[in-house]
Amino acid sequence: MMPVADICELNLTELSKLLATRELSSSEAVNAALNRLELLESKLNAFITVTREQAIAEAKKADDEIARGRYRGPLHGVPVTIKDLFATAGVRTTAGSQILADWVPEKDSAVVERLRAAGAIIIGKTNLDEFGHGGTSTLSHFGPVHNPWNIEHIAGGSSGGSAAAVAAGIGPLSYGTETGSSVRRPASYCGIVGFKPTFGIISRTGSFRGAWSQDHVGLFARSVKDVTLGLDPVAGFDAHDPASVHQDTAAYTARLDANLKQLKIGILRRFLEGVNHEVRQAFEKGLEVFAGAGCEIVELDVPEVSYAAMTSMMTSSAESAGINRRWFRERHQDFVPHVSRGIAVGMTITASEYLTVQRARQRIREALRTAYEQVAIIASPTTARAAPLIADGVKGNGDDTRHASYNHSNLLRFPSMLGLPGCSLPCGINVEGLPIGMQLIGSWFGDQIVLNAALAFQEGTDWHTRRPALASA
Amino acid sequence: MKPTEKFTHRLALLAGVDLSQAYLDAIAAEIEDLDRIVAELEEFAQGTPWVSQQLQPATSKA
């Protein structure tokens, strides 16, 4: 029998292969992940609900099915985690809020339905900023998430619990959501791969909304191939999500190709001036990897992007106020204070102002559409610095979303505001031992190109194989 | 509209919610800042078409 620590070290690709060949059982894999969870949870606070009994029962069922030759695919029997924004039938779904602390949905969200159909075993629901409103995962009714690389630091948000879980070896795959940067930022801070596809690729039905025109489902794993294995079963049209797009049956894994000859990668260098020195250095070294793989690095100048963070903030602020207005009026004191205040500010944005903001958004979109005629990908550091201290509070991220500027926040916010596919992947570790990430942002529906480029980067580097010391506990 | 009137106008949108003075003080700066942000975005967006999105079913075809 394989030791528990070794099972938790397996990435999804490796684990999936062992489950398919029955060299390892789902019961062993699920128990190992649950044991790791219980060992580390007092340090990480990454989970709101653990579904131990249900997961163990489902793992037994998966083992029976696989033994009878009814193998469903790469997620069959795999322990996975999901952000506690996804509704789960019969299991409480809190969205990190006191308001929903005891709410038990009757129906699964679309993502959960698809995961169950693929045979995945959900072992727990991860902690987050309340209703996804935040970038630190400290704004949760259930307390802050801690970064597995150093528990004094934040995991990033809002999908911080998911990122921390994967980084700590608690299941090889987790699903989160992103409205501003809630997949890419925590992936960067936690030293793992985070991918959010083009708007409309994964259904959001049954997941709580941060801001409907910017919300995406995304996922976390330890390698790019693991991401595609997790993406294939959940991508697809859903008539219940008005943003959902018709698409071919997902085959991102089958189409992975690390050959990047002549791929053009754009850099918006003016936005990197305020970026931390070590982060910038790691990013520049990352660019050398791409250049070495035959890519052409193109300097871009898109000044309209300097309005992106402000436009994104105004959009999400107004939309989240629209979504939460009833709860705010009836129970504003039950929100996390910082989140409550954000909703209050959003409620004072008028309809005509919101529409003005959408015009600005359209101008930025057009500028980037033109930019993507020159390049296939825009690359940048994912975040301007490594994970800040929890003690630094919400300002620790160093974002500026209230001024038109060349602040790096604009690079973090434009992909979700415009629905572009984005992948954050590890590209370094700083002197404090904290991970550094770089992001690759593709054009609309250029998801495969982004994933292929990310794969090529991983084939030329080993940053994605680094683990926090805590993960080998 | 004077700045103080603009602020009062915005706070009116929160009418009916029982918010303490301390709470209002905490959000005052951000609310006051909205006028500047909107004005900057309005100028930036000049000449850009208004966003128009119809709601035909996704399966509709011309």
Side-chain angles (χ1 to χ4, degrees):
Chain A
M1 188 183 274
M2 189 182 277
V4 167
D6 292 353
I7 296 172
C8 294
E9 277 300 302
L10 298 170
N11 66 26
L12 174 57
T13 306
E14 296 159 343
L15 176 61
S16 185
K17 204 174 284 176
L18 293 177
L19 291 172
T21 55
R22 298 178 61 204
E23 290 168 74
L24 185 74
S25 72
S26 174
S27 297
E28 288 172 286
V30 165
N31 273 305
L34 285 166
N35 290 345
R36 171 66 62 93
L37 188 162
E38 279 155 20
L39 182 70
L40 299 181
E41 182 57 3
S42 62
K43 295 188 173 86
L44 298 177
N45 196 34
F47 287 84
I48 292 175
T49 300
V50 179
T51 50
R52 174 176 259 280
E53 304 308 319
Q54 191 176 332
I56 289 170
E58 286 174 9
K60 276 187 190 150
K61 196 176 147 207
D63 286 331
D64 288 345
E65 284 184 353
I66 295 170
R68 282 187 281 124
R70 295 174 60 190
Y71 180 64
R72 300 193 204 182
L75 295 194
H76 202 171
V78 172
V80 304
T81 61
I82 57 171
K83 189 176 185 178
D84 201 20
L85 271 182
F86 295 107
T88 39
V91 177
R92 75 169 177 161
T93 301
T94 70
S97 179
Q98 184 183 346
I99 292 170
L100 294 174
D102 301 312
W103 183 58
V104 179
E106 290 177 3
K107 279 188 69 178
D108 281 333
S109 60
V111 164
V112 170
E113 259 178 30
R114 290 180 186 206
L115 284 175
R116 292 198 197 285
I121 315 291
I122 296 167
I123 62 166
K125 304 191 72 181
T126 59
N127 200 356
L128 67 154
D129 290 307
E130 186 176 39
F131 292 110
H133 296 322
T136 60
S137 293
T138 62
L139 302 174
S140 168
H141 171 65
F142 300 90
V145 179
H146 299 256
N147 192 312
W149 292 81
N150 182 334
I151 59 172
E152 300 296 317
H153 291 251
I154 67 167
S158 63
S159 311
S162 285
V166 170
I170 304 169
L173 180 67
S174 190
Y175 292 82
T177 63
E178 173 169 309
T179 303
S181 55
S182 293
V183 168
R184 287 166 293 127
R185 189 198 306 262
S188 176
Y189 285 172
C190 291
I192 56 171
V193 185
F195 178 73
K196 77 139 203 90
T198 299
F199 192 63
I201 294 280
I202 305 178
S203 170
R204 306 161 308 165
T205 303
S207 61
F208 277 95
R209 302 292 167 86
W212 58 83
S213 74
Q214 299 190 163
D215 290 338
H216 300 69
V217 174
L219 55 164
F220 301 91
R222 289 181 227 140
S223 78
V224 174
K225 188 173 179 199
D226 286 7
V227 163
T228 61
L229 288 173
L231 176 60
D232 282 336
V234 298
F237 178 70
D238 174 13
H240 299 295
D241 179 351
S244 187
V245 292
H246 286 279
Q247 53 200 286
D248 294 334
T249 302
Y252 295 99
T253 308
R255 293 182 183 139
L256 274 178
D257 179 1
N259 182 0
L260 299 183
K261 288 273 181 271
Q262 296 173 343
L263 188 84
K264 290 185 178 176
I265 297 181
I267 311 297
L268 292 162
R269 206 167 285 283
R270 275 214 270 181
F271 292 88
L272 306 187
E273 280 168 20
V275 170
N276 166 278
H277 174 68
E278 280 181 286
V279 172
R280 197 164 165 171
Q281 216 168 27
F283 171 66
E284 297 294 346
K285 281 192 178 157
L287 286 183
E288 287 171 17
V289 173
F290 283 115
C295 297
E296 183 184 343
I297 309 299
V298 179
E299 299 288 334
L300 294 173
D301 188 22
V302 189
E304 290 86 349
V305 171
S306 59
Y307 288 83
M310 200 157 82
T311 304
S312 166
M313 179 278 292
M314 288 292 283
T315 299
S316 60
S317 189
E319 292 183 6
S320 67
I323 290 164
N324 289 292
R325 59 187 297 117
R326 202 186 81 199
W327 276 333
F328 181 77
R329 288 189 184 283
E330 293 169 1
R331 306 181 59 174
H332 71 86
Q333 69 281 5
D334 290 337
F335 282 92
V336 171
H338 186 86
V339 174
S340 167
R341 291 195 291 269
I343 294 168
V345 172
M347 284 183 69
T348 73
I349 298 171
T350 66
S352 65
E353 288 171 342
Y354 174 77
L355 293 169
T356 295
V357 172
Q358 299 316 297
R359 284 179 94 191
R361 186 178 183 182
Q362 181 147 292
R363 181 166 174 200
I364 300 164
R365 184 193 68 186
E366 284 307 293
L368 277 159
R369 193 178 57 75
T370 305
Y372 276 112
E373 287 172 2
Q374 299 173 62
V375 298
I377 282 172
I378 294 176
S380 75
T382 307
T383 56
R385 57 189 74 176
L389 288 162
I390 290 176
D392 290 344
V394 292
K395 292 192 189 302
N397 282 329
D399 296 338
D400 181 359
T401 59
R402 303 190 74 81
H403 298 91
S405 71
Y406 286 96
N407 185 287
H408 174 276
S409 312
N410 292 289
L411 302 181
L412 204 46
R413 297 293 287 249
F414 83 78
S416 283
M417 181 179 75
L418 300 177
L420 298 163
C423 185
S424 176
L425 60 166
C427 71
I429 291 179
N430 74 4
V431 287
E432 290 180 90
L434 294 167
I436 297 168
M438 78 185 297
Q439 63 173 10
L440 306 176
I441 308 299
S443 184
W444 293 270
F445 302 106
D447 302 69
Q448 190 74 55
I449 297 171
V450 169
L451 292 163
N452 288 350
L455 176 70
F457 183 80
Q458 291 202 333
E459 289 190 354
T461 60
D462 67 354
W463 296 112
H464 63 291
T465 64
R466 312 289 178 94
R467 298 278 174 271
L470 181 139
S472 48
Chain B
M1 215 186 280
K2 291 177 192 165
T4 49
E5 289 172 341
K6 283 183 185 170
F7 183 62
T8 307
H9 179 71
R10 286 196 188 277
L11 285 187
L13 294 166
L14 294 170
V17 189
D18 185 19
L19 300 172
S20 67
Q21 191 55 48
Y23 187 105
L24 292 172
D25 290 344
I27 61 173
E30 284 188 60
I31 289 181
E32 285 174 349
D33 208 19
L34 289 178
D35 289 319
R36 176 193 57 78
I37 291 172
V38 172
E40 280 187 35
L41 290 177
E42 191 162 25
E43 191 182 337
F44 170 69
Q46 279 299 321
T48 307
W50 288 97
V51 177
S52 46
Q53 188 185 26
Q54 271 292 342
L55 289 172
Q56 290 97 341
T59 48
S60 295
K61 286 182 181 169

